[in-house]
Amino acid sequence: MKKKPTISDIAKLANVSIATVSRVLSNSDYPVKEEVRQKILGISKEVNYKPNIFGKMLKGGSSKEIGVIIPSVTNPFYAQLVSAVEKQCINRGYIPLICSSYNNPKMEKRHIDILFQKQVAGIVMSTIRKDDPFLNIEAHDKNVKVVLFDQTRTDLQYDSVSFDFRKGGYMAVDYLIQCGHKDIAFLTAPIDRKSRKMILEGYKQALKINGIMYNSKRVIISSMIGTNDSGEFEYENGKTLARLLLQDKVLPDAIVTINDMTAIGIIRELTSEGIEVPKDVSIIGFDNISISSMITPSLTTINQPSYETGTLATKMLLDRIEGKEIETNNIVMKPTLIKRDSVKKIEKETRQ
Amino acid sequence: MKKKPTISDIAKLANVSIATVSRVLSNSDYPVKEEVRQKILGISKEVNYKPNIFGKMLKGGSSKEIGVIIPSVTNPFYAQLVSAVEKQCINRGYIPLICSSYNNPKMEKRHIDILFQKQVAGIVMSTIRKDDPFLNIEAHDKNVKVVLFDQTRTDLQYDSVSFDFRKGGYMAVDYLIQCGHKDIAFLTAPIDRKSRKMILEGYKQALKINGIMYNSKRVIISSMIGTNDSGEFEYENGKTLARLLLQDKVLPDAIVTINDMTAIGIIRELTSEGIEVPKDVSIIGFDNISISSMITPSLTTINQPSYETGTLATKMLLDRIEGKEIETNNIVMKPTLIKRDSVKKIEKETRQ
DNA sequence: CTGAAAGCGCTAACAG
DNA sequence: CTGTTAGCGCTTTCAG
């Protein structure tokens, strides 16, 4: 009465062997007389039988769990993504183990260790390790599938869902130029990530194609290195960047930056200095987190589809886990421009 | 070479019995000759031994995991809270299993079932079930500790970390009155939760104490019932509420609402109708999510300390799991007023 | 179709 | 101090 019923309890009650019970309860396609099957099913409902996963696991089955490694759920971009992962998992009977690395390689390794120990079926992750000795070995040694998203690595043979940051940067700047802006600043955290580097490249490319001189003075890089990746930090960094920008006496026409949270920080700092957005300066963000449409002025931005990324990455992972032998798949999500109110359209005539 | 080393592999390599290896590797205080101990430790490093949790678990040990049930990580309030839980867990060697219920009782039950199956050591949760047959039975039957937060239930003997919503509502309204506002509207989602009911009570109480007539016309309740608890929904609900409010030809002096996301939605809708905040109408939110300080105008609000709540709830749970026999503990967090820019101070003289 | 029995990796008596 | 052994709950041969 006190402890959980096991198959052997059920076996006794049904007057059959534990093997038979196991066959029925684990949905084996093994033949069992329908009458017996029903009896066992009935009893197991009655006693509220719940299989003990550990027993199963010991036999070597892989758990229906997948690891999800992200910088932090506190960052709305990743919260969205996690939400998508969760939904896919539920649909297909898996359980996501959510691990925040806070952009700390030590933590990341720790989480990966734990996930392996738990014998997860797979991992979807946004790694920040540039050097791979670890990831590579471990993942191949055990048979744990891995799908990378967000930050990917071409040196590893993993499936991935990445994003065309370069094009995103390009689109942002190009749009600003189409709106009549010429003096366009790029405000960024340190270029220690491929994504930022790519956006900067897109920025340069758009200037070039539109015949605007690249001016390194207009690329402002903060020195703050975030230990975590929460929105908090990015917001503060935005304020810092705005202050750096204001050291220059002439304001640019427009600002492009590496994510929406940073953009919001920039707007806030500028506003508190009496500079209006978009009247005095236009700004365009990156990511399209949900809050961006809610603030005033609503933020024009480059959409990086977090929900779709999470959905796709999870689907790929689960497909692979379930043995659908697909080739290594590297999906690149396309940026789209979300026009809102933080960019002003300048009539050609009014500019000197 | 291919498969994971087990204690018996190590035992062979070290020429000792598996029992000795087990004693060393599981940090038992059982006496083992230092020499042997070192040898075993050395070998286990070499072969990169990782204990198989399932073997341990089978013996009945409880896993070092705790379940965390919240409406959704997409809601910044809960994202913060989860972040705090994670940190506590890491400090003390536990792993949090994060489960989003999306305010769906079915999901909630499903998650609880799964958590029990996994034999988690405990659960910290924000339940939305009013009727308990389920929670109660299960939790007592197995020896899983439970700590409730956010929404609590007095009918169950669980530890809890709750919040004084009534006082929060009171403080919000009282502050508005101190600022010179008299006609104060309360905009809310359906009063199907204790938290909302309590805030409304605080609202009424503050009016009463300050000698202002309660006007039921100024309590605006939307009919939208959210299936999920993402910020998205609350934001939309805010817009809906603002539209309902505008059906009345005379605008109130100030608005108090049930959470910051809703407040942001209200502000957005009012702004798009040409009504300025706080010039034309003041507004005060509830929760103090991080974004509230970042928007323009920054949102005056009642602080509900999500991080501290998560920290405390987790500490209590882990303490209880680890056998520190404390009495049932019901902590009530106190609201604080965060003054920012969305409330205007009206000089007494200028009001007629 | 059904049952007996051998483990999966580990811990914990118990016996040296 | 160390080794032997009996399970924990379940799946899975292998024999009926």
Side-chain angles (χ1 to χ4, degrees):
Chain A
M1 200 73 237
K2 206 77 263 251
K3 47 191 330 318
K4 288 178 59 167
T6 73
I7 48 171
S8 93
D9 296 328
I10 296 181
K12 268 178 218 125
L13 292 173
N15 275 319
V16 294
S17 74
I18 57 167
T20 306
V21 177
S22 170
R23 294 199 260 258
V24 172
L25 261 25
S26 56
N27 276 323
S28 150
D29 47 5
Y30 208 88
V32 174
K33 211 203 296 173
E34 194 51 30
E35 187 190 324
V36 179
R37 160 170 264 109
Q38 288 313 325
K39 184 172 185 189
I40 291 173
L41 253 20
I43 293 178
S44 80
K45 291 288 146 272
E46 269 174 50
V47 299
N48 189 29
Y49 169 77
K50 294 280 160 52
N52 179 334
I53 320 177
F54 304 117
K56 258 185 236 193
M57 284 300 87
L58 251 195
K59 289 307 261 188
S62 112
S63 70
K64 292 273 237 172
E65 297 177 326
I66 66 170
V68 185
I69 304 182
I70 52 164
S72 165
V73 282
T74 277
N75 180 319
F77 179 82
Y78 293 109
Q80 270 291 126
L81 197 147
V82 163
S83 188
V85 174
E86 274 179 343
K87 231 157 266 180
Q88 283 305 311
C89 282
I90 286 172
N91 284 346
R92 298 175 61 168
Y94 285 77
I95 298 169
L97 304 180
I98 295 147
C99 309
S100 298
S101 70
Y102 298 97
N103 278 334
N104 174 346
K106 286 243 177 77
M107 283 249 80
E108 186 179 296
K109 169 156 170 38
R110 191 171 165 229
H111 281 135
I112 292 175
D113 275 341
I114 292 173
L115 292 175
F116 277 132
Q117 239 176 89
K118 288 191 166 305
Q119 283 161 252
V120 292
I123 299 179
V124 346
M125 66 183 298
S126 162
T127 182
I128 22 115
R129 319 194 134 237
K130 307 187 211 300
D131 36 57
D132 53 310
F134 181 63
L135 249 191
N136 204 358
I137 300 167
E138 290 282 313
H140 281 100
D141 167 86
K142 343 257 169 165
N143 55 352
V144 175
K145 312 296 183 200
V146 176
V147 172
L148 263 25
F149 61 79
D150 197 30
Q151 315 276 350
T152 70
R153 302 195 0 189
T154 45
D155 57 324
L156 296 178
Q157 286 286 44
Y158 295 140
D159 291 327
S160 69
V161 179
S162 59
F163 182 72
D164 193 341
F165 288 100
R166 208 207 87 268
K167 180 148 188 217
Y170 178 88
M171 287 171 74
V173 175
D174 190 63
Y175 174 66
L176 289 173
I177 296 173
Q178 299 318 319
C179 288
H181 301 280
K182 293 214 168 76
D183 182 3
I184 299 169
F186 179 54
L187 308 206
T188 179
I191 313 282
D192 56 359
R193 255 131 94 168
K194 202 182 156 198
S195 55
R196 292 168 190 165
K197 190 167 158 242
M198 289 294 113
I199 298 176
L200 177 54
E201 277 186 21
Y203 165 86
K204 289 180 182 170
Q205 191 185 6
L207 290 182
K208 191 169 180 185
I209 289 187
N210 286 280
I212 295 179
M213 260 288 274
Y214 168 68
N215 175 359
S216 65
K217 290 255 179 62
R218 283 313 195 189
V219 173
I220 303 192
I221 304 176
S222 68
S223 54
M224 286 167 83
I225 297 193
T227 50
N228 67 51
D229 205 332
S230 73
E232 234 78 11
F233 166 73
E234 287 160 350
Y235 170 75
E236 287 304 328
N237 198 36
K239 300 217 290 191
T240 305
L241 283 165
R243 262 176 260 121
L244 287 172
L245 179 69
L246 291 176
Q247 287 178 0
D248 201 318
K249 280 296 166 299
V250 329
L251 219 55
D253 299 332
I255 297 169
V256 18
T257 187
I258 48 165
N259 59 52
D260 288 353
M261 270 308 196
T262 303
I264 292 172
I266 294 172
I267 291 175
R268 181 107 181 105
E269 186 67 19
L270 292 178
T271 305
S272 77
E273 294 294 326
I275 297 166
E276 286 181 46
V277 174
K279 189 164 145 281
D280 301 325
V281 59
S282 291
I283 184 163
I284 184 164
F286 210 105
D287 279 356
N288 190 30
I289 57 179
S290 62
I291 196 73
S292 298
S293 66
M294 305 178 185
I295 60 174
T296 310
S298 59
L299 188 64
T300 294
T301 192
I302 298 296
N303 183 56
Q304 183 186 357
S306 58
Y307 199 88
E308 290 79 356
T309 300
T311 304
L312 264 175
T314 310
K315 277 188 176 158
M316 281 169 66
L317 181 65
L318 298 187
D319 282 352
R320 205 166 272 286
I321 288 170
E322 289 169 1
K324 304 189 185 157
E325 278 305 337
I326 5 160
E327 296 211 351
T328 304
N329 228 326
N330 293 98
I331 298 178
V332 178
M333 304 294 277
K334 288 296 167 206
T336 49
L337 175 69
I338 309 289
K339 297 182 190 178
R340 288 199 279 245
D341 304 332
S342 65
V343 171
K344 178 174 68 168
K345 290 205 167 106
I346 302 177
E347 301 304 323
K348 289 263 162 62
E349 293 70 35
T350 66
R351 306 271 307 161
Q352 81 281 54
Chain B
M1 200 74 237
K2 209 75 264 251
K3 48 193 325 319
K4 290 177 57 167
T6 72
I7 48 171
S8 94
D9 296 327
I10 296 180
K12 267 177 219 128
L13 292 173
N15 276 318
V16 294
S17 74
I18 56 167
T20 306
V21 178
S22 171
R23 296 200 259 258
V24 172
L25 263 23
S26 55
N27 276 323
S28 151
D29 47 5
Y30 208 90
V32 173
K33 211 202 294 171
E34 193 52 28
E35 189 190 322
V36 180
R37 160 171 263 111
Q38 289 311 327
K39 183 171 184 188
I40 290 173
L41 254 19
I43 293 178
S44 79
K45 293 289 148 253
E46 269 175 52
V47 300
N48 190 28
Y49 168 77
K50 294 281 159 52
N52 179 333
I53 320 176
F54 304 117
K56 259 185 235 192
M57 284 299 87
L58 251 195
K59 291 304 269 187
S62 108
S63 70
K64 292 272 238 172
E65 296 177 326
I66 66 169
V68 184
I69 304 183
I70 52 164
S72 165
V73 282
T74 277
N75 181 321
F77 178 83
Y78 292 109
Q80 269 291 126
L81 196 145
V82 163
S83 188
V85 175
E86 273 179 346
K87 232 157 266 181
Q88 282 307 309
C89 283
I90 285 171
N91 283 345
R92 299 174 62 167
Y94 286 77
I95 298 169
L97 304 181
I98 295 148
C99 309
S100 298
S101 70
Y102 297 97
N103 278 333
N104 175 346
K106 286 242 176 77
M107 282 248 83
E108 186 178 297
K109 170 157 171 33
R110 186 164 172 238
H111 281 134
I112 293 176
D113 275 341
I114 292 173
L115 292 175
F116 277 130
Q117 238 174 88
K118 288 189 165 307
Q119 283 161 253
V120 292
I123 298 179
V124 347
M125 65 182 299
S126 161
T127 183
I128 21 113
R129 318 192 135 239
K130 308 190 210 299
D131 36 57
D132 54 312
F134 181 63
L135 251 191
N136 205 358
I137 300 169
E138 291 282 312
H140 281 100
D141 166 87
K142 344 257 169 163
N143 56 352
V144 175
K145 313 296 183 201
V146 176
V147 172
L148 263 27
F149 62 79
D150 196 32
Q151 314 277 348
T152 70
R153 303 193 0 186
T154 46
D155 56 325
L156 297 178
Q157 285 286 47
Y158 295 138
D159 291 328
S160 68
V161 179
S162 59
F163 182 72
D164 193 342
F165 288 100
R166 207 207 90 268
K167 179 145 187 225
Y170 179 89
M171 287 171 73
V173 174
D174 190 61
Y175 174 66
L176 290 172
I177 296 172
Q178 299 317 318
C179 288
H181 301 280
K182 294 214 167 77
D183 182 4
I184 299 169
F186 179 55
L187 308 207
T188 179
I191 313 282
D192 56 358
R193 256 129 96 165
K194 201 182 156 200
S195 55
R196 291 168 191 166
K197 188 164 160 245
M198 290 293 113
I199 297 177
L200 177 56
E201 277 186 20
Y203 165 86
K204 288 180 183 171
Q205 190 186 7
L207 290 182
K208 192 169 180 186
I209 290 187
N210 285 282
I212 295 180
M213 260 289 272
Y214 168 69
N215 175 359
S216 66
K217 289 254 178 62
R218 283 312 196 190
V219 173
I220 304 194
I221 304 176
S222 69
S223 54
M224 284 168 83
I225 297 191
T227 50
N228 68 51
D229 205 333
S230 73
E232 233 79 10
F233 166 72
E234 287 160 350
Y235 170 75
E236 287 304 329
N237 198 37
K239 299 217 292 191
T240 305
L241 283 165
R243 263 176 260 121
L244 287 173
L245 179 71
L246 291 176
Q247 287 176 2
D248 202 318
K249 281 294 164 301
V250 329
L251 219 55
D253 298 332
I255 297 168
V256 19
T257 187
I258 48 165
N259 59 52
D260 288 353
M261 270 308 198
T262 303
I264 291 172
I266 294 171
I267 291 175
R268 181 110 182 102
E269 185 69 19
L270 291 178
T271 305
S272 76
E273 295 293 325
I275 296 165
E276 283 180 48
V277 174
K279 189 165 147 279
D280 301 326
V281 60
S282 289
I283 183 163
I284 185 165
F286 211 105
D287 279 355
N288 190 30
I289 57 179
S290 61
I291 196 73
S292 298
S293 67
M294 305 179 185
I295 60 173
T296 311
S298 59
L299 188 65
T300 294
T301 191
I302 298 297
N303 183 55
Q304 183 185 358
S306 59
Y307 199 88
E308 289 78 354
T309 300
T311 304
L312 265 174
T314 310
K315 277 187 175 156
M316 283 170 65
L317 181 65
L318 298 187
D319 282 351
R320 203 166 274 285
I321 287 170
E322 287 168 2
K324 305 187 184 160
E325 279 307 336
I326 4 160
E327 296 210 350
T328 303
N329 228 326
N330 293 98
I331 298 177
V332 178
M333 305 293 277
K334 288 298 169 204
T336 49
L337 175 69
I338 309 289
K339 297 182 191 179
R340 288 198 278 246
D341 305 331
S342 65
V343 172
K344 178 174 65 170
K345 291 205 165 106
I346 302 177
E347 301 303 323
K348 288 262 161 58
E349 292 70 35
T350 65
R351 304 272 309 159
Q352 82 283 51

